[in-house]
Amino acid sequence: MTVTALIHSIYFETPNHMASREPSNWNDKLELPGKVRFMDGNGDLPMLNVTTEWSSAEIYLHGAHVTHFQRKNEPPLLFLSQVSQFAADKPIRGGIPVILPWFGPREGQPMHGFARTSAWELKQIVPAKDGSITLHFQLIAQETAGFPPFTADYLVTVSNTLALQLSVTNNSKDKEMIFEECLHTYFHVGDISAVSITGLKGASYLDKVDGFTQKTETADAIKVSSEVDRVYQDTTATVEIHDANLHRKIIVEKQNSASTVVWNPWIAKAQAMSDFGDNEYLNMVCVESGNVGKNKITLAPGKSFSFGVRLSTAN
Ligand code: TA6
């Protein structure tokens, strides 16, 4: 189901009692007893705690940031730094940062865009008949940093998997919008030395730890034994993270995404990040899905573009 179709179904087919109602303030709860709870999370930032029959999740309005997802009787799917900051002007370290409208550094601007440090609005909570729960977050951005005004709609569906849909609409009447987007997902692993990543063989990539040299992936399974920072381009492939320590594989399926980024900071970078524990590189790897660099998106005035990611696990 496309984002548009899903949003349409939310707004026009959802029973009245689920009609969107903005909490007048965070304490004016739009709770679903036993399913969605509004809480003051870390740093007293507003957080939603979501529980389904299969799983639990936590999502902050700050950056519409998913910080936790865990299937029952499984280890957490996502890594969250024990020393992450939780402040209105700082990105959260871990979980799924929403990177928009640019990826990487930009002169005089914050790294990785402003979406992840913006306050998103919760528009809808939709419990579906199959037991899944979809949360719709929205960011309306005015013209800024050289970008036309745009709206981002982010759907997070919690079930026995975690599904994400990011839709961007160019609100300009006459300017095209050229942007990058990425769901910068930090996955929890038992021991990085026991991890291998498959699905990228044959893909071309920019190796950011080797002067952004253009290379082609030759490994059936990528292993991490030093800093890895690779932007794979023109690949729509499903990626699997095989974790021999936790005896599971994580499956990263995506649609309308042509870029995959693989990152582990390793020792020196870990020590250089104040919001990341010196040894936390051992228990995480980023496999990020989006459209960045040569895969950036050009949107005509009034048009929308959506991409999606579905995260699941298997033994
Ligand atoms: O996606 C990998 C990357 O671009 C790395 O180069 C590193 O900068 C990482 O993102 C984290 O960036 P952040 O701004 O969150 O510290």
Side-chain angles (χ1 to χ4, degrees):
M1 179 183 272
T2 64
V3 170
T4 310
L6 181 53
I7 291 174
H8 183 278
S9 72
I10 289 171
Y11 282 104
F12 298 103
E13 295 155 25
T14 305
N16 277 340
H17 73 277
M18 282 309 305
S20 80
R21 181 170 67 84
E22 303 313 323
S24 52
N25 63 49
W26 193 246
N27 295 319
D28 180 6
K29 299 197 183 336
L30 186 70
E31 289 200 349
L32 286 177
K35 292 180 178 174
V36 181
R37 283 184 58 218
F38 287 43
M39 305 172 72
D40 290 331
N42 293 317
D44 285 337
L45 293 176
M47 182 191 85
L48 292 154
N49 183 296
V50 181
T51 305
T52 72
E53 63 188 277
W54 309 276
S55 61
S56 62
E58 291 180 354
I59 310 154
Y60 283 77
L61 288 193
H62 178 58
H65 199 125
V66 180
T67 53
H68 177 78
F69 175 79
Q70 183 168 12
R71 288 179 67 188
K72 285 177 181 167
N73 307 315
E74 268 200 32
L77 179 72
L78 304 176
F79 163 87
L80 181 67
S81 172
Q82 295 297 308
V83 291
S84 174
Q85 300 185 77
F86 285 85
D89 61 343
K90 296 279 187 273
I92 295 169
R93 176 70 65 189
I96 308 177
V98 179
I99 307 298
L100 185 71
W102 67 86
F103 179 88
R106 188 181 170 97
E107 186 68 34
Q109 299 287 341
M111 181 82 167
H112 284 331
F114 52 79
R116 65 176 179 169
T117 50
S118 295
W120 290 59
E121 190 181 348
L122 174 65
K123 300 298 285 183
Q124 283 282 327
I125 301 174
V126 182
K129 292 189 178 69
D130 65 3
S132 63
I133 298 174
T134 294
L135 303 106
H136 171 198
F137 300 92
Q138 187 177 73
L139 175 66
I140 299 177
Q142 304 309 315
E143 185 160 6
T144 183
F147 292 89
F150 67 88
T151 297
D153 289 288
Y154 186 42
L155 301 182
V156 178
T157 301
V158 183
S159 64
N160 60 347
T161 65
L162 182 63
L164 312 159
Q165 285 270 3
L166 181 62
S167 176
V168 176
T169 301
N170 177 0
N171 295 332
S172 172
K173 291 185 172 33
D174 55 4
K175 294 194 188 74
E176 70 177 8
M177 179 180 175
I178 301 173
F179 69 98
E180 297 171 296
E181 56 186 356
C182 188
L183 295 175
H184 191 300
T185 310
Y186 289 71
F187 292 100
H188 169 67
V189 298
D191 175 350
I192 191 64
S193 68
V195 165
S196 58
I197 299 165
T198 61
L200 291 165
K201 183 174 184 179
S204 67
Y205 67 93
L206 295 176
D207 188 345
K208 292 172 65 174
V209 298
D210 186 12
F212 285 77
T213 308
Q214 183 90 32
K215 300 179 179 178
T216 299
E217 186 55 68
T218 55
D220 290 315
I222 299 163
K223 306 280 286 179
V224 178
S225 55
S226 62
E227 183 186 357
V228 171
D229 196 347
R230 303 177 185 174
V231 181
Y232 291 87
Q233 303 162 311
D234 302 324
T235 172
T236 59
T238 294
V239 172
E240 294 188 346
I241 303 165
H242 302 263
D243 185 337
N245 182 274
L246 294 182
H247 308 291
R248 75 172 175 191
K249 69 176 175 182
I250 298 170
I251 302 146
V252 183
E253 297 168 273
K254 56 180 195 170
Q255 85 260 15
N256 285 348
S257 157
S259 312
T260 294
V261 181
V262 176
W263 178 57
N264 183 289
W266 209 248
I267 300 169
K269 280 276 173 63
Q271 291 169 345
M273 292 187 283
S274 60
D275 61 347
F276 190 91
D278 288 356
N279 296 323
E280 288 188 321
Y281 71 95
L282 293 167
N283 298 108
M284 56 70 66
V285 65
C286 284
V287 175
E288 311 159 28
S289 306
N291 295 288
V292 305
K294 67 174 286 199
N295 297 133
K296 61 182 176 291
I297 303 295
T298 299
L299 262 187
K303 296 297 183 193
S304 300
F305 180 83
S306 307
F307 85 98
V309 178
R310 181 173 178 271
L311 306 177
S312 57
T313 56
N315 292 328

